């Protein structure tokens, strides 16, 4: 009897974990294929929720998923490790040693063989080499980074309230560099959650006087990748909140005490978040001789196969995938990763049967931007109404939440997702509306 086909998925983000779960459910109990997921984190959280964890409006413990448990429940293998290289001749992924906080080895460096390799390691923050950004700005790539920002935010409020002198200018200011979806959503969430923290008895802080949220964007308007109507509606809502928007403004340097602008201006800030751009991780640059673009994304064919190796695929933010009818590749969005994972799931059967692969076709279902409890704005694309339709308010918020429910359903199934939603609703009523530690 032939050995099972070895499918290795590197990266347990939205696309990678959904694909591993579905493939495990289909092939894990049989003998046709063996599914392994390699991931350097222990738990998973849907990346569009990171801004809410950072702001403190979402408790990570209620939403994060343990990879080891998910693998057990859905019949795939979880390997705790980090890809550091690729041996295409031997068809092996090179994994680095994983160390704990004390520097002790948890898992040794190793090699993992594959027949089909799918790389879905997502993206990392691109600070474009801006002086001081790596040292003084917090990126929001991982759950731990989001939690770290939230702790620093709460600590800053506690420190300001306990000090004998009045709150200093800039002491409770937050600068967010990059007004894409992540930066814009974080600005809106922070406006509410910082005030909620102060309302729990920090009576020496005056929010309207001491707290300042600043959103800095180099493009002429915020949300530059989205339709102008969404940008305008969001700008209006942010202005009503009191969030400062500095569009058409480039950052020259990030310092411990604030942000230096290219025009010589200075924005004092206790905390700075960098949300201005993404790129592929540095280790991807021509890994194993594979073709990459200038921001380290793996170049792939319409079939999601890498251009130089038909047995290696890439999906999600780490892939530069051509888009029919456009000179620009498919954008790095959660909906793209979800669609690519669904497409890859159907193609595995064709690989096992030796059939030719079908091209991936991206469908843009629109864009949604959540401003927390204030509002949600966005657009739905033509598959519903024949053209783009602007939406706002409760219906837009419902559609935004449905995207997360789709991800949860892909991981857990319909009934468990419904029960989780009900349990989350009940628990929220007995807890503070903002994380306080």
């Amino acid at each position: 009897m032939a050995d099972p086909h070895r499918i290795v998925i590197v990266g347990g983000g939205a696309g990678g974990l959904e694909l591993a779960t579905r493939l495990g459910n289909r092939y894990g109990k049989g003998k046709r294929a063996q599914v392994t997921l390699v991931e350097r984190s222990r738990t998973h959280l849907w990346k569009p929720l990171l801004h809410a964890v950072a702001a403190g409006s979402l408790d990570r413990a209620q939403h994060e998923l343990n990879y080891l448990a998910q693998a057990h429940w859905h019949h795939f293998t979880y390997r705790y490790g980090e890809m550091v290289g690729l041996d295409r001749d031997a068809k092996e992924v090179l994994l680095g040693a994983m160390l704990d906080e004390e520097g002790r080895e948890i898992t040794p460096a190793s090699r993992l063989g594959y027949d089909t390799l799918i790389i879905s390691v997502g993206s990392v923050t691109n600070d474009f080499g801006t002086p001081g950004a790596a040292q003084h700005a917090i990126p929001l790539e991982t759950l731990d980074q989001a939690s770290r920002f939230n702790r620093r935010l709460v600590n800053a409020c506690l420190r300001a309230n306990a000090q004998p002198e009045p709150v200093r200018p800039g002491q409770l200011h937050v600068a967010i560099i990059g007004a894409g979806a992540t930066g814009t959503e974080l600005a809106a969430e922070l406006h509410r959650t910082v005030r909620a923290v102060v309302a729990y008895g920090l009576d020496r802080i005056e929010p309207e006087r001491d707290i300042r949220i600043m959103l800095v964007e180099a493009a002429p308007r915020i949300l530059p990748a989205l339709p102008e109507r969404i940008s305008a509606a969001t700008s209006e809502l942010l202005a009503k909140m009191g969030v400062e928007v500095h569009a058409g403004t480039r950052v020259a340097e990030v310092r411990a005490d604030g942000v230096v602008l290219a025009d010589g201006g200075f924005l004092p800030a206790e905390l700075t978040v960098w949300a201005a751009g993404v790129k592929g991780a540095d280790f991807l640059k021509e890994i194993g001789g594979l073709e990459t673009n200038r921001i380290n994304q793996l170049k792939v064919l319409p079939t999601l196969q890498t251009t130089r190796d038909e047995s290696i695929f890439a999906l999600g933010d780490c892939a530069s995938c051509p888009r029919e009818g456009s000179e620009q590749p498919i954008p790095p969005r959660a909906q793209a990763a979800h669609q690519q994972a669904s497409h890859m799931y159907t193609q595995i059967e064709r690989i096992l049967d030796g059939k030719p692969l079908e091209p991936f076709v991206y469908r843009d279902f629109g864009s949604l931007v959540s401003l927390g409890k204030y509002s949600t704005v966005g657009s739905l694309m033509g598959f519903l109404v024949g053209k783009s339709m602007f939406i706002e308010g409760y219906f837009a918020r419902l559609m935004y939440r449905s995207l997360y429910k789709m991800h949860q359903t892909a991981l857990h199934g319909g009934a468990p997702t419904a029960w989780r939603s009900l349990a989350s609703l009940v628990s929220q009523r007995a807890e503070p509306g903002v994380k306080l530690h």
Side-chain angles (χ1 to χ4, degrees):
M1 184 176 181
D3 292 333
H5 189 89
R6 298 169 300 172
I7 303 169
V8 174
I9 303 167
V10 180
L17 184 56
E18 287 181 15
L19 180 58
T21 298
R22 295 184 67 185
L23 290 176
N25 288 338
R26 182 166 185 175
Y27 300 110
K29 291 183 177 180
K31 302 295 183 182
R32 293 193 72 193
Q34 174 187 339
V35 182
T36 302
L37 175 68
V38 176
E39 170 57 47
R40 65 179 182 177
S41 300
R42 307 285 186 89
T43 60
H44 164 82
L45 183 91
W46 196 50
K47 196 169 184 178
L49 295 179
L50 286 180
H51 75 279
V53 175
S57 56
L58 184 143
D59 185 351
R60 59 179 285 179
Q62 293 184 358
H63 294 267
E64 62 184 330
L65 180 151
N66 185 284
Y67 284 112
L68 194 58
Q70 183 75 359
H72 174 72
W73 293 329
H74 296 278
H75 318 294
F76 63 89
T77 300
Y78 163 63
R79 286 284 296 268
Y80 176 55
E82 182 175 15
M83 184 180 187
V84 296
L86 177 64
D87 186 339
R88 287 169 53 201
D89 293 331
K91 301 194 82 169
E92 291 178 333
V93 177
L94 310 184
L95 303 179
M98 300 300 290
L99 309 178
D100 65 14
E101 291 82 358
E102 287 77 37
R104 293 180 298 176
E105 185 175 270
I106 303 172
T107 57
S110 60
R111 288 172 169 256
L112 179 62
Y114 66 87
D115 296 306
T116 295
L117 173 62
I118 303 158
I119 302 175
S120 58
V121 293
S123 58
V124 297
T125 298
N126 188 356
D127 61 20
F128 308 101
T130 303
Q135 293 77 24
H136 303 300
I138 301 175
L140 292 183
E141 302 164 5
T142 68
L143 190 51
D144 287 342
Q145 289 170 341
S147 294
R148 174 188 165 214
F149 173 83
N150 181 254
R151 287 193 299 272
R152 286 188 58 184
L153 177 70
V154 175
N155 288 344
C157 292
L158 293 173
R159 187 183 303 115
N161 194 68
Q163 67 192 24
E165 67 272 13
V167 177
R168 301 186 307 274
Q171 186 174 356
L172 292 179
H173 294 186
V174 179
I176 303 169
I177 302 172
T182 298
T184 301
E185 290 178 334
L186 178 62
E189 287 278 9
L190 281 176
H191 179 270
R192 182 184 69 84
T193 57
V194 176
R195 284 161 173 76
V197 170
V198 170
Y200 278 93
L202 304 186
D203 51 9
R204 298 191 64 227
I205 299 173
E206 175 56 52
E208 299 307 317
R209 179 195 66 203
D210 300 325
I211 297 172
R212 186 175 165 196
I213 310 296
M214 300 167 289
L215 189 58
V216 184
E217 172 57 50
R221 61 182 176 88
I222 67 171
L223 301 171
L226 302 186
E228 191 167 347
R229 187 173 180 184
I230 296 178
S231 174
T234 305
S235 295
E236 184 177 345
L237 287 166
L238 291 176
K240 290 179 179 178
M241 294 179 207
V243 173
E244 289 186 22
V245 175
H246 299 265
T249 304
R250 289 194 307 108
V251 172
E253 181 185 0
V254 180
R255 300 188 339 207
D257 59 346
V259 177
V260 180
L261 305 178
D263 62 7
F266 181 71
L267 300 176
E270 173 75 9
L271 293 170
T272 300
V273 177
W274 192 281
V278 298
K279 64 178 183 178
D282 290 339
F283 81 88
L284 285 177
K285 188 173 179 61
E286 299 181 354
I287 187 169
L290 297 178
E291 185 181 10
T292 53
N293 63 11
R294 60 180 180 81
I295 57 171
N296 302 336
Q297 291 176 310
L298 293 163
K299 288 191 173 184
V300 299
L301 304 171
T303 56
L304 302 183
Q305 292 169 296
T306 53
T307 55
R308 293 175 182 168
D309 196 319
E310 63 180 13
S311 65
I312 300 177
F313 298 74
L315 59 84
D317 290 6
C318 71
S320 177
C321 182
R323 183 177 181 182
E324 186 176 357
S326 174
E327 295 182 359
Q328 299 299 319
I330 292 169
R333 295 183 186 174
Q335 63 170 305
H338 173 77
Q339 291 178 43
Q340 288 172 338
S342 297
H343 175 80
M344 196 68 227
Y345 172 73
T346 64
Q347 299 309 296
I348 291 295
E349 185 71 16
R350 302 183 72 86
I351 291 173
L352 296 179
D353 291 339
K355 295 180 180 179
L357 300 182
E358 300 168 328
F360 169 68
V361 178
Y362 174 64
R363 298 180 66 189
D364 188 347
F365 292 117
S367 305
L368 293 166
V369 178
S370 171
L371 302 181
K373 292 188 176 181
Y374 295 108
S375 185
T376 301
V377 297
S379 64
L380 296 179
M381 299 304 286
F383 77 106
L384 284 179
V385 293
K387 59 181 181 179
S388 176
M389 178 178 69
F390 180 80
I391 59 174
E392 186 176 3
Y394 180 78
F395 180 61
R397 186 179 303 175
L398 195 64
M399 295 300 296
Y400 187 89
R401 289 177 179 173
S402 73
L403 297 176
Y404 181 38
K405 297 306 176 188
M406 286 172 57
H407 177 61
Q408 289 181 304
T409 300
L411 299 181
H412 309 298
T417 296
W419 282 112
R420 285 167 180 262
S421 300
L422 181 61
S424 177
L425 183 63
V426 172
S427 66
Q428 285 175 6
R429 295 179 180 274
E431 297 176 352
V434 63
K435 190 171 174 61
L436 299 173
H437 62 276

